[in-house]
Amino acid sequence: MRIALFGYGKMGKMIEEIAKSRNHNIVAKIDLDTTEIDYSQIDVAIDFSTPDAAFGNITNCFKKNIPVISGTTGWLQQYDEAIAVCKENKGAFIYASNFSLGVNIFFELNEYLSKMMQGLEQYTVHMEEIHHTQKLDAPSGTAITLAEGVTKNLDYEGWTMGNEPKKIPITSKREGNVPGTHSVTYHSAVDDIKIKHKAHGREGFALGAIVAAEWIIGRTGIFTMKDVLNIG
Ligand SMILES: NC(=O)C1=CN([C@@H]2O[C@H](COP(=O)(O)OP(=O)(O)OC[C@H]3O[C@@H](n4cnc5c(N)ncnc54)[C@H](OP(=O)(O)O)[C@@H]3O)[C@@H](O)[C@H]2O)C=CC1
Ligand SMILES: O=C(O)C1=N[C@H](C(=O)O)C[C@H](O)C1
């Protein structure tokens, strides 16, 4: 596959390493300073850039009929608009707040647990995410997906980083070089039930993005990692 990397930071570099080990070619590394892109050389675009850059990068690829794998978080207020551009151009797209196999299993576990907690009014849920200090967005995209998983089954209306009634509280911590730790806790007066995922590095995110890129070639439509991994 001829891959274009939109964003050549921590994730872009990790994806390059794993892509090469799977015999793919990196034909473009697009960063803030890039002035020209030769779209004719690209089979698939992988975007791990910034909240401000993602929408433009993704929709420009759709307009050039290039399938897109998007891992950038913090830009989802423009998600519906991006989907419209994708559909207009009969494109192919996967966005995931987290591409690792482990977190996608954790997403399923989170939904299953929230279903089990239905009717147990003595428990309240809260979430915590811990990431490195360079992270631009908070809460993490993964924490937002976890909160959305809980609201499917329990009587909460979204999430909050403060203390609002009916919303799931999310605490965001920024520490050193932490690649990503997420936990979901159900608290009662007598006990806590807690599930946790801890990434040891960025390899799992990068491998998942490449597996998604391999999978999307030749397909048209909007997909998720559930389609790619066939889990749940
Ligand atoms: N879905 C998932 O599994 C994961 C998602 N992420 C998300 O991916 C994103 C990137 O993370 P990470 O690699 O750690 O961040 P980095 O800051 O290390 O890298 C982002 C890169 O994007 C570049 N950039 C800035 N503007 C543009 C532009 N217009 N076009 C292309 N690139 C641009 C930055 O360049 P410069 O430094 O010059 O500004 C930088 O090199 C974040 O949103 C993060 O939350 C991260 C890990 C896993
Ligand atoms: O910025 C990061 O590093 C990460 N971002 C994603 C998120 O916001 O959930 C995924 C992962 O946790 C690492």
Side-chain angles (χ1 to χ4, degrees):
M1 263 178 343
R2 297 173 301 171
I3 301 173
L5 297 174
F6 286 79
Y8 191 58
K10 291 180 283 300
M11 278 303 295
K13 292 185 176 91
M14 181 59 71
I15 290 169
E16 177 181 40
E17 198 179 310
I18 296 180
K20 283 182 175 166
S21 76
R22 292 168 77 92
N23 295 321
H24 299 306
N25 294 324
I26 305 299
V27 292
K29 297 170 190 173
I30 293 116
D31 236 319
L32 188 57
D33 306 329
T34 307
T35 49
E36 246 185 70
I37 302 167
D38 182 359
Y39 288 96
S40 71
Q41 297 302 310
I42 303 170
D43 294 323
V44 61
I46 303 184
D47 185 281
F48 281 81
S49 58
T50 63
D52 287 344
F55 176 79
N57 291 340
I58 293 165
T59 51
N60 285 338
C61 288
F62 292 149
K63 290 172 190 166
K64 301 284 180 187
N65 295 113
I66 294 166
V68 180
I69 304 303
S70 163
T72 308
T73 53
W75 67 277
L76 289 193
Q77 68 285 356
Q78 288 175 293
Y79 177 82
D80 290 346
E81 214 183 318
I83 293 303
V85 179
C86 182
K87 286 182 176 165
E88 259 166 50
N89 291 278
K90 298 188 172 44
F93 186 46
I94 297 176
Y95 164 76
S97 61
N98 199 305
F99 277 94
S100 79
L101 173 63
V103 162
N104 280 277
I105 293 168
F106 189 64
F107 285 153
E108 295 300 313
L109 183 64
N110 173 56
E111 284 195 30
Y112 184 73
L113 179 57
S114 64
K115 214 170 213 169
M116 290 178 75
M117 301 308 286
Q118 282 173 344
L120 302 178
E121 306 293 336
Q122 64 273 41
Y123 287 96
T124 56
V125 68
H126 65 270
M127 296 180 180
E128 183 184 84
E129 55 100 345
I130 313 172
H131 284 86
H132 53 92
T133 51
Q134 297 109 56
K135 186 162 176 61
L136 296 179
D137 54 318
S140 67
T142 305
I144 293 172
T145 305
L146 288 165
E148 287 168 353
V150 169
T151 54
K152 280 184 193 170
N153 295 312
L154 295 176
D155 195 18
Y156 288 96
E157 291 160 11
W159 52 268
T160 177
M161 295 185 74
N163 184 17
E164 295 169 74
K166 302 284 285 177
K167 291 187 191 285
I168 300 167
I170 303 178
T171 304
S172 295
K173 293 184 177 168
R174 299 291 173 257
E175 296 172 4
N177 292 317
V178 176
T181 302
H182 293 88
S183 62
V184 181
T185 304
Y186 289 85
H187 173 77
S188 79
V190 297
D191 59 9
D192 280 358
I193 304 167
K194 182 173 182 174
I195 56 172
K196 177 176 168 180
H197 178 275
K198 181 179 178 182
H200 298 317
R202 294 185 172 81
E203 292 85 349
F205 312 137
L207 176 62
I210 293 165
V211 168
E214 290 166 351
W215 184 91
I216 208 169
I217 297 286
R219 289 185 156 91
T220 299
I222 319 297
F223 304 99
T224 67
M225 277 308 272
K226 242 177 135 144
D227 300 310
V228 176
L229 297 170
N230 211 8
I231 53 171

